[in-house]
Amino acid sequence: MSKKIAAALVGTAIATTLLAGVGATAAQAAEAGPRIGVLINGTLNVKEGNLFTSWVPQIGNVAKFEIDGSRVGVLTTGGEVLVKDGDLYAPWTTQLGGAKDFHLAGNRIGVLRNDNSLAVKDGDLYAGWTEQTGDVKDFDLTPNRIGVVFTGGLASVKEGDLYSGWVNQLGGAKDIELAGGRIGVLRNDNTLAVKDGTLYESWTEQTGDVTDFELTPNRIGVVSGNGTATVKEGNLYAGWVNQLGGAKAIELAGDRLGVLRTDNSFAVKEGSLYASWTEQASPVSQADLTAPASAPGQVVTLQDLRNIYGTIPNEATVQQGLESLNAEMIRGGITTPARKAAFLATLRNESGFRYNAVEGGVSATYKGRGYMQLTSEANYRGAGAHLGVDLLGNPEAAASLQYSASIARWYWTVARSDSNNAADHYDMGLISRYVGYAASSAEDAERCADFKSALRYFNGGSLPVGEGAITCYRH
């Protein structure tokens, strides 16, 4: 670290620049968890934990910063990119000089130099750089994709390792954002188009008069020319929900939403799009967020389901069942990204994540019930014997809070004992055969799309393998 950068480290409190309202609880040490960063008068300050924890000064002489997971990066006013990894007191590591922009994504660091050349590294902070391309005016990263806008306005994206080929996307572009399987392009005429899936998906027009935008795998946020911050949640055709006026920038991360206003105040909400705002700091020139992680012992949360699939019907019922479902997922080893993704894709289509789902319009005694829609006398007998309960004599218990999750785990790990292995090999087609619904290539494709959405989410925003390595259809 240079003497200039070391001297810029800030060790004094900045209470005079922070908004009032932070009580005694916030004066305690920040709890481990999600982060919020703000740039105030060239000094980076970060808080870790809930919305009311205290700020920890980081470094001064900052032109831009970014937070991603356990990493914090800054671009100094002198054109150096510095990154730290770990707690908020970790040391800084110099990356590259002569820079005008940078991004962090998982283990990747990308730096755009003053000569418009782009270099990216993938690994620890001391990994080597791989040159990407030149003539770049804007770029973004995910752990599996790199997107650029060339100075001529062409947006192009590569997927896979750092040596993959570029796939052209749209012309007339000035900004590109990547999130999971989503690509968003803001054109020179301020219209926004987004695609979700492969690099060859069709574009879905979103809105016009956009001055700033942000993506997550489940949300799109925009600031319009009149200063209104608006967000949609779910698929690309969801409706917009107005958030705040007087906005100039928007930040999204999981269920967190931040708005930087034209008066340089920054407010954040956490939860639904209708949650209340919590003021953070002022005067802020830039802000960034990371999302809360699942609580200990939770394999999947309601917010995870929202982030992956958008609106979740019957949320109260779904939430009620999650404690037992998480326990059975842990018991069944359904804890890796691929296994969770396959299991949740199955439950979404079988029961909508409802422990009490019952097959409608069917009078059979042993009709579909519970998370996994247990059917047939043989399956009721097998599950009952395994759990030590008389499901033959009391079939309604298959859709009870007490037994539904246990039955789903039994079906996944005992009745169809190869399910986890199939998930490990990204073979959703084999899992679909194991589940045994009526043959339908359309439903095979739907369940596979749900699998890919969850896999991207649990893998940090990108698929761990190429699309060709995922089997979607029964065989």
Side-chain angles (χ1 to χ4, degrees), residues 141-162:
L141 301 174
T142 73
N144 192 50
R145 287 178 172 178
I146 304 172
V148 299
V149 177
F150 295 107
T151 55
L154 175 64
S156 190
V157 178
K158 64 166 58 178
E159 183 174 64
D161 63 32
L162 300 182

Side-chain angles (χ1 to χ4, degrees), residues 297-321:
Q298 289 182 302
V299 181
V300 61
T301 67
L302 181 61
Q303 188 58 49
D304 289 332
L305 297 179
R306 292 191 192 114
N307 290 345
I308 298 166
Y309 298 119
T311 301
I312 304 297
N314 306 290
E315 278 199 355
T317 300
V318 173
Q319 181 66 67
Q320 187 181 17

Side-chain angles (χ1 to χ4, degrees), residues 366-381:
Y366 303 114
K367 61 185 175 182
R369 291 185 177 93
Y371 279 122
M372 196 64 78
Q373 288 292 277
L374 189 71
T375 58
S376 84
E377 182 176 344
N379 280 328
Y380 274 75
R381 179 184 295 108

Side-chain angles (χ1 to χ4, degrees), residues 47 55 69 96 129 192 246 269 299 307-308 330 356 379 381:
K47 62 168 62 176
W55 298 96
L96 279 180
W129 294 93
L192 174 65
K269 63 167 60 176
V299 181
N307 290 345
I308 298 166
I330 292 171
N356 60 358
N379 280 328
R381 179 184 295 108

